[in-house]
Amino acid sequence: MIQTKPIKKLRHQLLSFLWLGLFACQTNTSTTSSQTTSANAKVYYPAKGDKWEQRTPEQVGMDPKLLAEAVAYAQTQETKMPKDFSTQEEIFGKLLGPIPKDRAGTNGIILRHGYIVAEWGDTKRVDPTYSIAKSFLSTILGVTLDKGMIKDIHDPVANYIKDGGYDSGPNRKVTWRHHAQQTSEWEGELFGKTHTFVGKEEFGNGERKPRGLKEPGTFYEYNDVRINRLSLSLLRLWKKPLPQVLKEQIMNPIGASDTWQYLPYKNSYVEVEGKRLPSVSGGTRWGGGLWINTRDEARFGYLFLRQGKWKNQQIVSQDWVQQATTPGPHGPDYGYLWWLNTQKKQWPNAPTTSFAALGAGSNTIWVDPEHDLVVVWRWHGTNGDEFFKRILASVKK
């Protein structure tokens, strides 16, 4: 494992890496990368907690010097977002939920074959992950379909949800798939925010100009109000808070910590069968959202690398993972609330089969099935392509 810390000179970083690599080689007698990935090898899954096995780059078929240089590069790419979140309302608009006093510096983790091969910064710090929450909501939707609570993703949401949110003509046509692909064109107001994103006070620098609505399913628009409507609809279907669903159905089975939180807005409580329940958002644009540490995000990414399976349990179906990472007919290279690379536009230096959960900050969970990699990189100022290029250069077998 490479355990790195911010340094002034690359030479010092490389010396530290070489020392740690030598120490790991002396104390770890695990199999090599080729043995790990052989047909007869058992797939590794980390146990719950911090007993996550580590490997040196050599043991997983990676060049130690090139990997060290990649991590050194990552450490220099701190995001310009203030650590005290002082520009939050300027960028996104009026807050509806809590926001932390500060955040961690840039940090990350690299997994190969499920083992930690590099880790830097405070990866146990619980921070908002912004729109990465959308990929978690997508997975809850997948579990909901797997359980038969929704018969078909092409079904209109109005067939299931009778709270008035889908009563209008266009809204009645909105399907679960439309919501998942950000093509719903759902019209309305939710928790004080309108679908239009019109208004400087409510939407900050993210405000938009008025436009006419399109037919549901025909036009892509990245829109948190509509994703929050999807979240509310899932809450009404499950009849219990989605953080509880996430914990029971996904996070506990993959051995995540108990430190993460999924926080609602102050005004996003609704009545469901006589109970007052919190409805959570698809990000931290207006506060709240999913606050989580880097290691737990790595587990989530690894679940998708393993096609929804964790040990002997299929957490979410392989069919869902494939659907969620297949591009839709409209908008950018985008699946069911996952960013894709099938056109090599998102990350030109990465495989077309790679995909990611992305959030402001930047927060990134990047999954590369071709090279059996998961990379979580938080609070950086790039789109990730240069970092992924450097990591991939270190992969030798």
Side-chain angles (χ1 to χ4, degrees), residues 45 302-303 306-316:
Y45 291 94
Y302 191 54
L303 173 67
R306 294 290 170 249
Q307 293 289 297
K309 187 175 183 180
W310 197 272
K311 298 182 180 178
N312 296 320
Q313 184 178 358
Q314 195 72 42
I315 306 299
V316 62

Side-chain angles (χ1 to χ4, degrees), residues 239-250 260 262:
K239 298 180 174 57
K240 59 182 176 181
L242 293 191
Q244 182 181 343
V245 176
L246 180 63
K247 183 179 181 68
E248 294 171 352
Q249 301 294 326
I250 300 165
W260 62 273
Y262 203 161

Side-chain angles (χ1 to χ4, degrees), residues 99-364:
I99 203 79
K101 293 181 179 179
D102 56 19
R103 60 164 176 82
T106 188
N107 67 87
I109 192 168
I110 300 173
L111 309 180
R112 184 126 205 258
H113 308 323
Y115 301 103
I116 297 175
V117 69
E119 188 171 18
W120 65 98
D122 189 353
T123 58
K124 296 182 182 179
R125 170 70 176 261
V126 175
D127 275 340
T129 198
Y130 288 83
S131 285
I132 280 179
K134 291 177 174 63
S135 299
F136 282 80
L137 281 177
S138 168
T139 309
I140 292 175
L141 175 60
V143 171
T144 309
L145 279 150
D146 288 343
K147 290 183 174 296
M149 297 169 66
I150 299 172
K151 293 180 181 179
D152 193 305
I153 196 169
H154 297 93
D155 284 348
V157 183
N159 291 1
Y160 301 79
I161 306 302
K162 310 294 183 182
D163 62 1
Y166 296 90
D167 286 354
S168 72
N171 285 356
R172 288 195 61 81
K173 300 177 183 179
V174 173
T175 68
W176 297 101
R177 184 172 185 261
H178 294 156
H179 270 316
Q181 290 186 328
Q182 302 244 42
T183 61
S184 74
E185 290 289 270
W186 182 86
E187 178 183 13
E189 180 178 321
L190 194 63
F191 311 134
K193 305 284 185 179
T194 65
H195 74 275
T196 63
F197 268 65
V198 173
K200 185 74 172 180
E201 181 180 357
E202 291 298 333
F203 300 101
N205 294 341
E207 69 170 337
R208 299 168 185 167
K209 295 180 180 180
R211 68 169 178 84
L213 289 172
K214 309 292 184 181
E215 185 75 6
T218 67
F219 184 80
Y220 171 94
E221 182 179 80
Y222 197 88
N223 189 304
D224 277 53
V225 173
R226 291 172 178 144
I227 295 302
N228 291 352
R229 178 62 254 197
L230 166 64
S231 179
L232 174 58
S233 299
L234 287 170
L235 165 65
R236 293 197 182 282
L237 204 57
W238 279 89
K239 298 180 174 57
K240 59 182 176 181
L242 293 191
Q244 182 181 343
V245 176
L246 180 63
K247 183 179 181 68
E248 294 171 352
Q249 301 294 326
I250 300 165
M251 302 303 275
N252 279 358
I254 67 175
S257 74
D258 297 321
T259 63
W260 62 273
Q261 304 177 75
Y262 203 161
L263 303 172
Y265 303 141
K266 294 177 182 178
N267 64 338
S268 63
Y269 286 79
V270 299
E271 186 171 303
V272 179
E273 294 190 341
K275 297 180 180 179
R276 186 172 179 266
L277 301 180
S279 185
V280 291
S281 66
T284 310
R285 179 181 291 267
W286 303 306
L290 182 62
W291 299 12
I292 189 171
N293 72 40
T294 301
R295 282 193 162 210
D296 283 344
E297 290 197 322
R299 288 176 181 269
F300 181 68
Y302 191 54
L303 173 67
F304 272 75
L305 182 67
R306 294 290 170 249
Q307 293 289 297
K309 187 175 183 180
W310 197 272
K311 298 182 180 178
N312 296 320
Q313 184 178 358
Q314 195 72 42
I315 306 299
V316 62
S317 67
Q318 183 175 350
D319 180 62
W320 175 260
V321 174
Q322 292 173 347
Q323 288 185 51
T325 54
T326 298
H330 307 288
D333 208 351
Y334 198 67
Y336 292 163
L337 306 181
W338 286 88
W339 291 94
L340 312 179
N341 199 41
T342 56
Q343 302 173 34
K344 289 184 80 74
K345 291 182 178 179
Q346 186 75 19
W347 310 290
N349 291 294
T352 58
T353 53
S354 63
F355 56 94
L358 300 177
S362 295
N363 283 273
T364 305

Side-chain angles (χ1 to χ4, degrees), residues 62 67 70 110 373 375 387-395:
M62 302 177 79
L67 185 59
I110 300 173
L373 288 165
V375 178
F387 185 37
F388 303 153
K389 175 185 175 181
R390 292 168 182 248
I391 294 172
L392 292 171
S394 74
V395 177

